[in-house]
């Protein structure tokens, strides 16, 4: 079956611009997560959505980062006024519920120049 | 989240079992032990997880000590495609990867 998909696969943007990253989770998965992985760094949790509950935003590094999940399916991660330190691979994952296995998408590689 | 300690790297012969240890002495009662792996430039792949009991699936087995302070991931018959970085995570649901163990399977 179809896995988690993300778009774009690569994004190069100038410092100060806004970017939107998209995630399509596996159909029927109520839990959706955003992570980022910087070069040489481990995986860093950003935000978690579960059904209609309020999202867990505890991992967002600054107020320039926001995310929404429309209709319990597709999610968009928005980074405003991008900085060079935002350069990383942004990964989306989904799962049936929060303690079940998470299935990851291929990621979006963001480069801020 | 509790921290984990894993060896930096290990080699394994193709066809042999690979035993990957992980220490998580500060794990709390509601935290699961998760194992994921990541092959270069791909997204992480789920392997297995457990709370208290040992678990087995088509990919691997997970052995958790009775005090839950350590665990071992067992790949029963390693293949060249199992070469990857393996991450042990203890968490309720938010994953956070450290350096992991770089496993190299050799023919």
């Amino acid at each position: 079956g179809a896995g988690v998909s993300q778009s774009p696969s690569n994004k190069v943007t100038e410092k100060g611009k806004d970017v939107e990253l998209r995630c399509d989770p596996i159909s029927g998965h109520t839990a959706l997560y955003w992570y980022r992985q910087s070069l040489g760094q481990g995986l860093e949790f950003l935000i978690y959505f579960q059904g209609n509950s309020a999202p867990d935003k505890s991992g967002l590094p600054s107020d320039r980062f926001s995310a929404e999940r429309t209709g319990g399916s597709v999610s968009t991660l928005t980074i405003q006024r991008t900085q060079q330190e935002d350069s990383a691979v942004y990964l989306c994952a989904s799962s049936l519920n929060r303690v079940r296995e998470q299935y990851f998408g291929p990621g979006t590689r963001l480069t801020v120049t | 989240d509790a921290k984990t300690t894993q060896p930096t790297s290990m080699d394994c012969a193709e066809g042999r079992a690979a035993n990957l240890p992980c220490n998580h002495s500060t794990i709390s009662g509601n935290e699961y032990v998760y194992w994921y792996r990541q092959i270069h430039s791909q997204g992480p792949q789920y392997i297995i997880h457990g709370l208290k009991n040992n678990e087995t699936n088509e990919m691997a087995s997970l052995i958790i000590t009775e005090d839950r302070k350590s665990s071992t991931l067992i790949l029963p018959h390693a293949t060249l495609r199992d070469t990857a970085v393996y991450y042990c995570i203890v968490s309720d649901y938010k994953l956070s990867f450290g350096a992991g163990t770089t496993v190299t399977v050799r023919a």
Side-chain angles (χ1 to χ4, degrees), chain A residues 28-42:
Chain A
H29 281 191
T30 60
L32 185 147
Y33 315 75
W34 283 98
Y35 297 89
R36 73 177 176 182
Q37 194 168 31
S38 304
L39 186 63
Q41 302 293 315

Side-chain angles (χ1 to χ4, degrees), chain B residues 1 10 18 39 49 98:
Chain B
D1 293 304
M10 64 184 299
I39 298 170
H49 77 289

Side-chain angles (χ1 to χ4, degrees), chain B residues 2-17:
Chain B
K3 292 184 178 179
T4 61
T5 304
Q6 299 178 248
T8 303
S9 64
M10 64 184 299
D11 285 0
C12 178
E14 188 178 21
R16 302 295 295 271

Side-chain angles (χ1 to χ4, degrees), chain A residues 41-62:
Chain A
Q41 302 293 315
L43 194 75
E44 177 187 4
F45 167 80
L46 297 177
I47 189 170
Y48 159 71
F49 295 90
Q50 173 65 61
N52 295 322
S53 303
D56 177 350
K57 304 179 181 179
S58 60
L60 294 179
S62 78

